[in-house]
Amino acid sequence: MMNEDEVAQLSNPGVGAHPTPWPEDPRFDPELLAEGDRRNVVDAYRYWSVDAIVADLDTRRSKLHVAIQNWEHDFNIGSIVRTANAFNVSAIHIVGRRRWNRRGAMVTDRYLHVIHHSDEAEFFDWLDANQVVGIAVDNLPGAVPLETEKLPQSCCLVFGSEGPGLTEAMVAGCQRMVAITQRGSTRSINAGAAAAIAMYHWTLQWEMPVGSCQR
């Protein structure tokens, strides 16, 4: 079975060895310059070390946080983490089991700050201490349409496991609950897809001027 790096390399061929002479910049990784950079990173970060990429991302993290309840080793967690990296969120919060399914993350968690909380109470204590508003995302009774909501700038979008969704304790601790309006026959949207929609909704409100594009 391939490891995470090998899977990422197959999905993104990247670039070969850097022509000599090599740039004299401490952000560049000598091993990558010599062997090529096959990682799933934007061109601006080619040949940079992981630490250098994280340091640069830290200078412009959004105020958005994303939390996932991890009770069932849900495969969607990796997909949510990958999307969170694309939107450069402040942190990913894993609530519940410490070990989570990283397969779909395609090693993008290396560029994020991942914080573990053993249960809902510990998670909400962290939100309160850091003045971050919890927003539950689920189509349970009491949810309001996401598309009509102005989300707080400093907030944490909270997602449940595929199937069971959010626990009662998690919903009760959030300031409000939003749901994505659907028009088809399925009861719910895949958790990874719902997370991407919700993150994009927040980004449109707070960080995406018309005509903006990837770095």
Side-chain angles (χ1 to χ4, degrees):
M1 180 178 292
M2 294 184 293
N3 61 35
E4 294 173 339
D5 290 306
E6 290 168 336
V7 172
Q9 289 172 10
L10 284 177
S11 67
N12 190 63
V15 293
H18 194 287
T20 55
W22 290 347
E24 296 182 3
D25 187 325
R27 295 175 298 186
F28 289 97
D29 184 315
E31 184 175 335
L32 294 174
L33 291 171
E35 299 180 4
D37 188 352
R38 311 296 179 183
R39 301 170 302 174
N40 181 20
V41 297
V42 296
D43 289 342
Y45 288 142
R46 286 297 181 201
Y47 305 109
W48 284 32
S49 70
V50 171
D51 288 345
I53 294 173
V54 172
D56 188 67
L57 291 173
D58 283 347
T59 66
R60 50 191 177 83
R61 297 277 182 195
S62 74
K63 292 188 176 182
L64 176 65
H65 292 249
V66 172
I68 312 152
Q69 288 201 287
N70 181 33
W71 306 126
E72 300 182 337
H73 209 57
D74 188 354
F75 70 93
N76 283 286
I77 293 180
S79 174
I80 295 172
V81 168
R82 185 176 179 181
T83 302
N85 170 269
F87 290 108
N88 198 24
V89 304
S90 283
I92 283 284
H93 301 261
I94 305 295
V95 184
R97 297 172 56 179
R98 182 175 292 275
R99 295 187 63 183
W100 53 279
N101 192 335
R102 302 177 190 277
R103 190 72 172 178
M106 301 293 285
V107 302
T108 54
D109 54 299
R110 295 178 183 176
Y111 309 101
L112 288 163
H113 299 291
V114 182
I115 304 172
H116 174 257
H117 308 275
S118 60
D119 55 26
E120 296 95 337
E122 184 178 307
F123 169 63
F124 287 119
D125 283 345
W126 190 98
L127 292 188
D128 289 343
N130 290 275
Q131 298 182 314
V132 177
V133 178
I135 304 292
V137 184
D138 209 333
N139 61 349
L140 297 170
V144 297
L146 171 66
E147 57 271 23
T148 65
E149 284 296 291
K150 178 70 172 182
L151 299 175
Q153 185 176 22
S154 184
C155 76
C156 183
L157 299 174
V158 186
F159 303 92
S161 296
E162 186 73 22
L166 294 170
T167 62
E168 292 183 5
M170 186 65 86
V171 173
C174 288
Q175 184 194 75
R176 73 188 94 151
M177 180 168 53
V178 298
I180 299 164
T181 300
Q182 301 172 206
R183 293 175 173 81
S185 62
T186 186
R187 188 187 70 82
S188 63
I189 296 174
N190 168 272
I197 292 169
M199 282 185 252
Y200 188 67
H201 180 75
W202 181 93
T203 302
L204 284 176
Q205 293 183 349
W206 291 107
E207 291 204 341
M208 189 175 287
V210 176
S212 65
C213 59
Q214 192 178 47
R215 182 178 187 272

